[in-house]
């Protein structure tokens, strides 16, 4: 069996509402809130970045897995906001959780899907018997250009998954995975650019919808299943609307997406988005339930997973915070404080 | 002033995850880590010990006029934390205000950015504490 032996999430304490951002830019807040399906988004603390978020999620995943840190044979960190352009986030995280030095480690980048790429690589390494456990993390503190549509959605958060093969340790089995990728110029950020550029409406049909739908259909074919075989479906969630539209296009019951759709309350956490959604499902899922996850990263590609929850989940639950625990204690920022938190003023 | 790379590098395990030391002769725990037990001297035997990062507030204050590099974070709570291992450490208390904190409040270690040398310089990470709610 290849499966998840532990997972952990982290979301910073601070929030800003779309109405507050809209107030500054003279936009209609309520229209934007409804249009994007975003109630509020998370904002990192001044001393938080993609590495610190990754460490918190990693520590939570270790607490659930209950394994010694030196047993982790690989650590992969997916992000598009790595603190350094050159110098790995993965070694910072490994040291902070006490893993290594006998460890394979690397940083990954594929817009919003580098976290699920890491999960696939860990599955491969574990499946080949090269390692006993691998940790894959998706973490981001992404930024939108001031006034840009992305400013309403770009949130901060991380999720870490420890992949292993012992049946008695896996809280969920990963039954299958597949991917779909093409060279699509929907969203990018050049080496020294502060903020990303994107293709506006082009990010929809030829990018998000095409890849999410194709990858999900590929998984259905590969596993000889349909949407009816899954209790929960989690799609990448750049906003609160796209995943529901994708489901509608595929004739999938929108109700199956509800539990895994967390962007409306934390924003788009980029590399963390689909796997924080998955974590929210796992936080309450029961043994035998099946989950389908499809991530999406601009540029563009999707990874899909078919997952079945095992009864081991009951004994491991409660050893680490749930996503819901991070949604209770929050503090709202006005746009001025938000600018300070995100160091958006050049003089800061 | 920037710390030397060698000092930063040497202190990574203690700063990132509170790796301390213990004397197995007298069971004394030490942080920052020590090479020699101050009680047992030559009879002491020191080994590394991973502290749990759990503790409680021993004392605290609010910093309004911070040292350079911390201006954006002020005002912030600075605390002496008594770790479960019996050792006291000083550190920033994150995501809270003075009125949220009491002597004896339970805290846990969190991982945060501590300092940044310059736009092109090294980033320094390490432990701070957060209230357990
Ligand atoms: Zn001693």
């Amino acid at each position: 069996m290849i499966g998840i032996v532990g997972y952990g999430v982290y979301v910073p304490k601070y929030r800003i509402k779309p109405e507050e951002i809209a107030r500054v830019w003279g936009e209609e807040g309520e229209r934007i809130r409804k249009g994007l399906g975003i109630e509020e988004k998370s904002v990192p603390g001044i001393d938080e970045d993609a590495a610190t978020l990754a460490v918190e999620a990693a520590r939570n995943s270790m607490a659930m897995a209950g394994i010694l840190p030196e047993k982790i044979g690989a650590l992969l960190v997916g992000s598009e906001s790595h603190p350094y352009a050159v110098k790995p986030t993965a070694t910072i995280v490994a040291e902070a959780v006490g893993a290594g030095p006998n460890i394979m480690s690397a940083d990954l980048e594929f817009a919003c899907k580098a976290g699920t790429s890491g999960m696939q690589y860990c599955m491969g390494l574990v499946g080949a018997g090269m390692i006993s456990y691998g940790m894959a993390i998706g973490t981001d503190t992404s930024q939108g250009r001031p006034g840009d549509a992305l400013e309403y959605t770009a949130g901060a958060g991380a999720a870490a998954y420890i992949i292993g093969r012992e049946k008695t340790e896996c809280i969920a089995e990963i039954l299958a995975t597949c991917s779909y990728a093409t060279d699509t110029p929907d969203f990018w950020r050049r080496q020294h650019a502060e903020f990303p550029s994107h293709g506006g409406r082009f990010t929809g049909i030829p990018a998000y919808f095409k890849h999410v739908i194709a990858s999900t259909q590929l998984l259905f074919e590969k596993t000889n299943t349909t949407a009816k075989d899954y209790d929960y479906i989690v799609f990448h969630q750049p906003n609160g609307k796209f995943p529901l539209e994708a489901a509608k296009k595929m004739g999938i019951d929108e109700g199956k997406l509800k539990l895994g759709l967390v962007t409306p309350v934390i924003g788009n956490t980029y590399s963390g988005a689909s796997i924080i959604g998955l974590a929210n499902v796992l936080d309450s899922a029961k043994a035998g339930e099946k989950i389908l996850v499809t991530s999406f990263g601009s540029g563009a590609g999707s990874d899909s997973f078919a997952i079945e929850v095992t009864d081991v989940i009951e004994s491991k639950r409660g050893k680490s915070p749930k996503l819901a625990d991070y949604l209770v204690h929050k503090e709202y920022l006005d746009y001025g404080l938000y600018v300070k938190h995100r160091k958006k003023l050049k003089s800061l | 002033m920037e710390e030397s790379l060698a000092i930063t590098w040497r202190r990574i395990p203690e700063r990132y995850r509170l790796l301390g030391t213990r004397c197995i002769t007298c069971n004394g725990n030490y942080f920052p880590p020590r090479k020699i037990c101050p009680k047992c001297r030559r009879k002491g035997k020191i080994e590394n010990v991973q502290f749990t990062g759990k503790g409680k507030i021993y004392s605290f204050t609010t910093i309004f006029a911070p040292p350079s590099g911390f201006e954006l974070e002020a005002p912030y709570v600075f605390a002496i934390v008594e770790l479960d291992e019996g050792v006291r450490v000083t550190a920033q208390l994150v995501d809270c205000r003075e009125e949220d904190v009491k002597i004896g409040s339970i805290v846990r270690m969190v991982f945060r950015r501590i300092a940044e040398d310059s736009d092109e310089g090294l980033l320094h990470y390490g432990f701070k504490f957060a209230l357990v709610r």
Side-chain angles (χ1 to χ4, degrees), chain A residues 16-91:
Chain A
I16 189 167
K17 290 193 172 281
E19 286 88 343
E20 173 61 13
I21 299 172
R23 179 181 68 80
V24 173
W25 299 113
E27 304 264 7
E28 294 168 61
E30 201 188 332
R31 187 182 56 81
I32 289 172
R33 176 166 58 80
K34 286 181 178 159
L36 293 170
I38 296 270
E39 291 300 316
E40 55 199 48
K41 69 163 194 170
S42 54
V43 181
I46 285 166
D47 55 356
E48 292 187 296
D49 62 22
T52 69
L53 268 49
V55 168
E56 295 296 329
R59 284 177 175 164
N60 287 339
S61 73
M62 298 283 299
M64 177 185 270
I67 57 169
L68 293 170
E70 52 266 34
K71 295 259 173 117
I72 294 175
L75 198 156
L76 300 163
V77 182
S79 181
E80 57 134 80
S81 50
H82 289 290
Y84 289 97
V86 177
K87 189 186 180 303
T89 307
T91 52

Side-chain angles (χ1 to χ4, degrees), chain A residues 130-327:
Chain A
M130 291 172 71
I131 58 171
S132 300
Y133 303 98
M135 184 189 288
I137 301 173
T139 180
D140 263 308
T141 56
S142 295
Q143 294 254 36
R145 192 184 304 276
D148 187 272
L150 286 177
E151 202 181 24
Y152 294 96
T153 54
Y161 284 78
I162 300 175
I163 308 296
R165 70 168 97 81
E166 295 300 325
K167 198 176 174 206
T168 54
E169 296 180 350
C170 290
I171 58 123
E173 180 177 4
I174 304 178
L175 305 167
T177 184
C178 66
S179 297
Y180 182 91
T182 69
D183 188 5
T184 306
D186 59 321
F187 173 103
W188 60 90
R189 180 165 64 82
R190 294 279 299 275
Q191 182 79 278
H192 299 288
E194 291 266 333
F195 302 109
S197 303
H198 59 85
R201 291 174 66 93
F202 189 73
T203 57
I205 305 277
Y208 177 87
F209 293 105
K210 176 183 163 184
H211 294 82
V212 167
I213 292 169
S215 183
T216 304
Q217 265 162 355
L218 198 62
L219 188 80
F220 285 152
E221 284 162 31
K222 198 176 166 180
T223 53
N224 200 20
T225 57
T226 67
K228 290 196 174 61
D229 295 306
Y230 299 90
D231 300 282
Y232 305 98
I233 292 176
V234 185
F235 286 157
H236 174 56
Q237 34 205 275
N239 52 54
K241 286 290 172 70
F242 272 24
L244 299 175
E245 274 177 52
K248 206 170 182 183
K249 283 179 199 283
M250 298 185 77
I252 296 172
D253 170 17
E254 288 184 10
K256 295 194 178 198
L257 277 81
K258 213 174 162 193
L259 193 57
L261 185 54
V262 297
T263 288
V265 288
I266 60 174
N268 177 10
T269 52
Y270 285 64
S271 300
S274 54
I275 50 179
I276 293 178
L278 170 61
N280 198 44
V281 172
L282 290 171
D283 281 346
S284 64
K286 292 186 261 313
E289 288 188 320
K290 282 190 180 177
I291 308 163
L292 184 153
V293 181
T294 297
S295 64
F296 171 74
S298 290
S302 283
D303 305 320
S304 294
F305 300 83
I307 295 167
E308 183 172 343
V309 180
T310 75
D311 52 14
V312 177
I313 202 162
E314 300 298 341
S315 63
K316 289 197 176 179
R317 220 173 245 154
K319 298 194 173 186
S320 58
K322 293 181 171 190
L323 177 68
D325 297 325
Y326 288 105
L327 305 182

Side-chain angles (χ1 to χ4, degrees), chain A residues 10 13-14 45-49 51-53 55-56 59 83-84 87 91-99 326 329 331 340 343 348, chain B residues 12-13 16-18 50 71-75 92 94-97 100 108-114 116 121-125 128 133:
Chain A
Y10 178 77
K13 184 191 174 190
Y14 305 94
I46 285 166
D47 55 356
E48 292 187 296
D49 62 22
T52 69
L53 268 49
V55 168
E56 295 296 329
R59 284 177 175 164
Y84 289 97
K87 189 186 180 303
T91 52
I92 297 173
V93 178
E95 184 62 55
V97 300
Y326 288 105
H329 297 288
E331 184 175 331
K340 183 173 146 183
K343 304 180 182 82
L348 291 180
Chain B
I12 279 175
Y16 280 19
R17 58 189 157 96
L18 278 169
Q50 178 58 61
E71 296 87 348
L72 287 182
E73 297 187 53
Q92 197 178 330
V94 301
D95 295 345
C96 68
R97 293 189 178 82
D100 305 328
R108 63 181 177 82
M109 162 179 75
V110 295
F111 186 78
R112 295 288 172 116
R113 204 187 263 203
I114 307 289
E116 182 174 335
L122 200 68
L123 301 171
H124 298 265
Y125 293 95
K128 294 185 181 181
R133 304 192 196 237

Side-chain angles (χ1 to χ4, degrees), chain B residues 23 25-26 30 37 39-40 44:
Chain B
C23 170
T25 307
C26 69
Y30 299 106
C37 176
K39 278 191 237 161
C40 309

